[in-house]
Amino acid sequence: MEFSPDLRYRNLPVVALVGRPNVGKSTLFNRLLRQRRAITDPTPGVTRDPIEATAFIAGHPITLIDTGGFKLEREVLEDLVVEKTLDTLNRADLIVLVMEAGDPTSEDEEFIERLRPYWDKVMVAVNKTEGGRRESYAWNLLSYGFEDIHMISAEHGDNILELEEAIVKRLDFSRVELDEAGPERLIRLALIGKPNTGKSTLSNRLTASDASIVSDIPGTTRDVVTGQFEFNNHHFIVLDTAGIRRKNKVTENIEYYSVNRAIKSLDEADIVFLMIDAQEGLTEQDKKIAALAHERGRGIIFVLNKWDTMPQIKNTFEATVDRIHFLFGQMEYAPIIPISAKDGTGVDKLLETALRMYGQLNKQVETGPLNQALERWLEEYPPPIGPRTRFKVKYAVQASVNPVKFIFFVSRIQAVSEAYVAYLRNKIRKDLGYSMIPLQLELRSSRKDPATARKEREAKRTEQNKAQRKS
């Protein structure tokens, strides 16, 4: 089978990049993907969760995994990181052990021994050998029993093409199939919120995996961890992001990159699950996160996680909804769903809501029906007729879906009040079926509406034809 980077495939061989911290695994991961996907930083132990993506190398598609670094001296969180790395070894079809040119460390040696049961699927890439630097030391690694080693520089790109060829030669592509879904758009869900609101727990439940490390330690997730799942015959991608804290509490460069990556995921998502700890309640930071999603026109669902821990008192949920609507006055359209990511309560309802929301995000209203509705709205609430406040709304068009945007052509933009724009937005929500999503409305100086312009062109052609016949 010949492969194309423009198509989607199933049953791809899995290649895992492993090794001790700070040898360049994430840099190599980004190099093979040809994009900056994993966070790279000189600080050891940046990568925690395994980061997975599809790469197209040497004309072949593979599933590539960047793993956390193997350490001997570990704290609780680092134990979880190493556990995830070791679990990945079982899944991988090929293990690329990334080492640094020079004398092996005790961590290198210990990890090599851990790899002995997988020896038939291990290959070695010795990083940071740009320009032949320290290659003589690298050859000493053959004494550990490796059949071959590959000298590379992940940062500068030295010998990367040769490494890709070597990786492809070690893999079996006979089980790879073209994805019958073709280029179908996957529904992308971003899990956004403060640290410790249950994002990783929900991500693991949705994907029926333990891809994301779950810990009570704030800031466990750093990179965006992706996973896929199906629900009601729809395909989803979930983006588990780092917890977003206030700027004055972000003290590490790594956390700064993590937060930026989390915010950037808003641009990649269709729908945002704003995760809120039901016990802690809403904060100013939640308002800022919601505002970022609203500005981008993303679907937003307030997810009240850990609802199972709330006291079972009558009207507790109603009181919480009222508080959210009070704090988010411009976002009453956004659904509010109580769940327990830990035991799964409410998750089906959350996904059913997301599917309805996705339908609204991609709904297109034809210009004719839209302007028929506009005529009714103008009759119900005519524009003011004062000398300074007077304006006419000529016609409207829907400019885009996902995000949904409407353009209204008016005679005097400066005369249109925010209240009248809000009226038009609310009528669109109520009458055209956009009750759950943010709407972007733009005012433009009017020009002749399409019907009038067409009649005038036809009249002009008629006059020209008459003139030609007379001559």
Side-chain angles (χ1 to χ4, degrees), residues 19-21 23 70 72 97-113 116 119 124-127 134-146 149:
R20 64 176 169 84
V23 292
F70 178 84
L72 290 178
L97 173 61
V98 183
M99 302 184 69
E100 187 173 344
D103 294 330
T105 67
S106 56
E107 287 172 334
D108 288 324
E109 293 178 335
E110 174 66 22
F111 195 42
I112 288 171
E113 291 306 311
R116 294 294 179 187
W119 205 247
V124 181
V126 182
N127 192 28
R134 294 189 294 178
E135 281 192 4
S136 58
Y137 291 97
W139 290 114
N140 294 332
L141 295 173
L142 291 173
S143 63
Y144 289 91
F146 300 120
I149 58 177

Side-chain angles (χ1 to χ4, degrees), residues 101-297:
D103 294 330
T105 67
S106 56
E107 287 172 334
D108 288 324
E109 293 178 335
E110 174 66 22
F111 195 42
I112 288 171
E113 291 306 311
R114 293 286 189 101
L115 290 174
R116 294 294 179 187
Y118 312 96
W119 205 247
D120 59 338
K121 58 179 184 179
V122 173
M123 66 183 297
V124 181
V126 182
N127 192 28
K128 306 180 185 180
T129 61
E130 51 271 8
R133 185 167 67 102
R134 294 189 294 178
E135 281 192 4
S136 58
Y137 291 97
W139 290 114
N140 294 332
L141 295 173
L142 291 173
S143 63
Y144 289 91
F146 300 120
E147 292 185 5
D148 196 9
I149 58 177
H150 301 272
M151 312 288 188
I152 66 166
S153 171
E155 183 174 355
H156 297 89
D158 295 7
N159 300 322
I160 294 299
L161 294 179
E162 291 80 359
L163 176 65
E164 291 180 349
E165 292 285 354
I167 289 173
V168 167
K169 287 180 180 178
R170 293 282 300 270
L171 297 173
D172 178 11
F173 293 88
S174 62
R175 295 180 59 251
V176 176
E177 299 175 350
L178 185 64
D179 193 333
E180 296 298 333
E184 177 191 357
R185 179 78 157 82
L186 299 175
I187 304 173
R188 302 176 71 87
L189 308 175
L191 310 187
I192 305 285
K194 292 175 55 186
N196 273 22
T197 52
K199 297 183 295 297
S200 294
T201 303
L202 178 58
S203 177
N204 287 348
R205 176 164 292 280
L206 293 175
T207 58
S209 73
D210 55 359
S212 295
I213 295 175
V214 176
S215 168
D216 292 333
I217 301 172
T220 299
T221 302
R222 284 176 168 169
D223 271 296
V224 177
V225 182
T226 63
Q228 296 192 26
F229 68 97
E230 291 186 21
F231 178 78
N232 285 357
N233 298 318
H234 289 81
H235 301 272
F236 291 82
I237 289 183
V238 59
L239 311 173
D240 178 19
T241 68
I244 300 177
R245 300 195 296 169
R246 294 198 306 270
K247 283 187 178 180
N248 61 358
K249 289 194 173 184
V250 176
T251 56
E252 300 180 13
N253 282 340
I254 298 168
E255 187 176 357
Y256 170 79
Y257 294 131
S258 298
V259 169
N260 277 357
R261 194 66 57 84
I263 292 173
K264 186 179 178 182
S265 70
L266 294 175
D267 296 322
E268 302 170 3
D270 299 302
I271 296 171
V272 173
F273 288 173
L274 178 54
M275 302 290 293
I276 299 168
D277 187 321
Q279 289 185 322
E280 182 179 343
L282 290 159
T283 66
E284 285 297 316
Q285 192 67 5
D286 292 320
K287 291 178 67 175
K288 293 177 182 178
I289 297 169
L292 291 173
H294 175 85
E295 289 168 4
R296 288 163 170 78

Side-chain angles (χ1 to χ4, degrees), residues 11-39:
N11 305 325
L12 298 181
V14 177
V15 178
L17 307 180
V18 302
R20 64 176 169 84
N22 217 29
V23 292
K25 297 185 298 297
S26 294
T27 304
L28 178 58
F29 180 80
N30 290 341
R31 173 70 65 176
L32 295 176
L33 285 183
R34 294 169 175 79
Q35 60 178 284
R36 289 185 61 83
R37 172 68 174 79
I39 295 174

Side-chain angles (χ1 to χ4, degrees), residues 324-464:
I324 291 176
H325 285 165
F326 174 77
L327 292 175
F328 297 83
Q330 302 296 318
M331 297 181 60
E332 289 193 4
Y333 61 84
I336 303 169
I337 307 294
I339 71 162
S340 169
K342 187 175 181 180
D343 64 28
T345 305
V347 172
D348 280 359
K349 182 179 180 181
L350 175 63
L351 294 176
E352 289 165 359
T353 304
L355 284 175
R356 292 198 303 274
M357 179 175 286
Y358 186 73
Q360 292 189 13
L361 284 168
N362 291 277
K363 182 178 181 179
Q364 180 78 48
V365 179
E366 296 297 328
T367 301
L370 172 60
N371 283 278
Q372 290 171 8
L374 176 60
E375 288 181 10
R376 296 195 303 271
W377 303 337
L378 296 176
E379 288 176 2
E380 293 175 16
Y381 181 20
I385 57 175
R388 294 186 178 182
T389 58
R390 186 174 184 174
F391 64 89
K392 290 184 178 180
V393 183
K394 299 297 186 66
Y395 67 101
V397 296
Q398 183 174 354
S400 67
V401 298
N402 200 11
V404 175
K405 180 178 181 179
F406 290 88
I407 300 175
F408 288 82
F409 293 90
V410 300
S411 59
R412 297 175 63 237
I413 293 178
Q414 68 276 14
V416 184
S417 66
E418 286 294 326
Y420 205 86
V421 173
Y423 166 73
L424 293 174
R425 182 181 286 110
N426 290 336
K427 295 304 288 186
I428 292 173
R429 289 194 192 286
K430 182 178 178 181
D431 295 356
L432 301 183
Y434 293 97
S435 59
M436 304 169 68
I437 63 172
L439 297 175
Q440 298 176 352
L441 266 63
E442 179 183 342
L443 302 180
R444 289 188 187 176
S445 296
S446 63
R447 55 178 184 251
K448 294 170 184 174
D449 64 86
T452 301
R454 185 171 59 252
K455 290 178 180 178
E456 291 185 358
R457 287 195 302 269
E458 291 174 354
K460 186 176 181 180
R461 281 197 296 268
T462 301
E463 290 297 324
Q464 289 174 344

